[in-house]
Amino acid sequence: MTARPHIFQFDNSYARDLPGFYVAWEGAKVPAPNLVLFNRDLAAELNLDAKLLETPEGAEIFAGVRQPDGATPLAQVYAGHQFGGFSPQLGDGRALLLGEIIDKAGNRKDIQLKGSGPTPFSRGGDGKAVVGPVLREYILAEAMHALGIPTTRALAAVTTGETIYRDGPKPGAVLTRVAASHLRVGTFQYFAARGETDKLRQLSDYAIARHAPDLAGQSDRYLQLFRGVVERQASLMAKWVLVGFVHGVMNTDNTTISGETIDYGPCAFIDAYDPAAVFSSIDHGGRYAFGRQPVIMQWNLARLAETLLPLIQPDDPDHAVELASTELARFPDLYRSDWLTGMRSKTGLQTEAEDDPDLFETMLAALQEQSVDYTLFFRHLADAAMGAPEKLRDLFADPEQIDVWLQRWRKRLENEGKAPVEIKAEMDGVNPIYIPRNHLVEDALQSAETGEYLLINKLLEVLQSPYEDRSDLEAYALPAPAAFGPYRTFCGT
Ligand code: AMP
Ligand code: MG
């Protein structure tokens, strides 16, 4: 008799290497698992056989009711600062790490179910997820990936046949998420808050093995681990801000060590440019507003630094603080440098000039004052580079303000010594025309809640090629109609 091939070739390092960092747990039973979205491209990258997963058995696995061979499902423990206040005990309250697999490129990936039922960390929550937020995370994560932004991915979404009560009855659902790891700043905070330095060292060495293997065995590896996280997160923040993404709930438990975007809850893309933009219904103080994200990330990284101090210089706390502070202090310049490089590309410039910051700030001030659509601005700017500024000017109620800026920008472009077509092609290659606009996401989600997946599948397809203008997709490039009104998002519970 030949053995049935395993669907996942699990190699579960977290379960194996970190006992005491999780609780072994299983998914809750649900009545009717139904696979509604499956990411074939990602499955191929992960060396998974779609034929075995796009099946009733696959739906049961993705709903958490059937344990695939080799899985060691577990709920991870972590803590976290939520809106600035410390919660010493969070953990996976509605998620299970099924295990890890090695993808085609040789990278280790977590396979996690989100919404698979209560765990010992549910803190009174039901451990479930509902279809709207599950599909929102699916759309946003895949859109971010297509935009070249480090992110967790979405492999599958199932509905469970359960009715879950939120602000009314909702269809239950589970998301299968793929991540470079689920190590969070909050994971480190959990053990630091308990004074468990040995466990913190174990966790740090595990993080090094996964995210900075070259550091293994080096005497200053914990400081270097921190340095790497600072660099990855500075780069990530620049990418978020350049594309107009608002995460919405940048708590330290939603801040990864890998540098991937994680936990898409009340997130959204800005339409009109506004550093104060907040979409989350619970972010009353604007703590996680669009323009505050880099500052908040630096604050979150300071919390990570605090946890690592006893490892960085066990015998000399003052020196440890000094070393960690020096690394943390690099963040603003790292961020700024990435942002400036990115903004140069977005405006068709490659050569640096001393007045770049002022050039971009003047441009953004005009966008902000006249509530101009951030995404469309850069696409139309590429047309202006070709000598056709009409569409760009039409975005402004008072175009004179941008005319003055355009003159200044054109002078800079001339110094680039490139043909206008070349500049336009380069600009269009970095400025998306299709982003997950809030009204499009809402339409797709509302339709999916009634069991109709046409809109969401179309939207996912459009967002897979965000830079390539397709004439039949004009509606996907447009801002929300006025009737859509101000947008509010709700935490993905
Ligand atoms: P999030 O806002 O999704 O990052 O979640 C913050 C914390 O609340 C995490 O520990 C989650 O596991 C937990 N949590 C969120 N929603 C639920 C739920 N419906 N049931 C149990 N725990 C939850
Ligand atoms: Mg979270």
Side-chain angles (χ1 to χ4, degrees), residues 113-135:
L113 305 180
K114 185 168 173 183
S116 49
T119 76
F121 307 127
S122 296
R123 298 175 301 147
D126 60 7
K128 307 282 182 171
V130 296
V131 74
V134 161
L135 300 180

Side-chain angles (χ1 to χ4, degrees), residues 243-287:
V243 82
F245 175 74
V246 189
H247 182 280
V249 56
M250 284 178 69
N251 294 333
T252 57
D253 53 304
N254 294 337
T255 301
T256 58
I257 301 304
S258 66
E260 286 183 344
T261 311
I262 198 170
D263 270 354
Y264 293 86
C267 57
F269 278 64
I270 53 167
D271 30 39
Y273 178 77
D274 178 11
V278 170
F279 298 98
S280 167
S281 61
I282 57 169
D283 190 0
H284 306 295
R287 180 181 171 88

Side-chain angles (χ1 to χ4, degrees), residues 169-211:
K170 303 278 179 193
V174 180
L175 177 76
T176 302
R177 174 158 88 176
V178 177
S181 86
H182 283 82
L183 301 176
R184 308 147 189 268
V185 169
T187 321
F188 288 75
Q189 288 181 291
Y190 178 82
F191 296 101
R194 296 160 63 97
E196 297 188 286
T197 307
D198 287 345
K199 283 204 158 142
L200 208 54
R201 188 174 299 109
Q202 214 184 331
L203 178 65
S204 301
D205 283 327
Y206 179 83
I208 286 168
R210 257 185 111 158
H211 299 299

Side-chain angles (χ1 to χ4, degrees), residues 80 110 144 272 283 311 412 454:
D110 278 7
M144 293 284 271
D283 190 0
L311 304 183
R412 282 293 307 280
L454 242 127

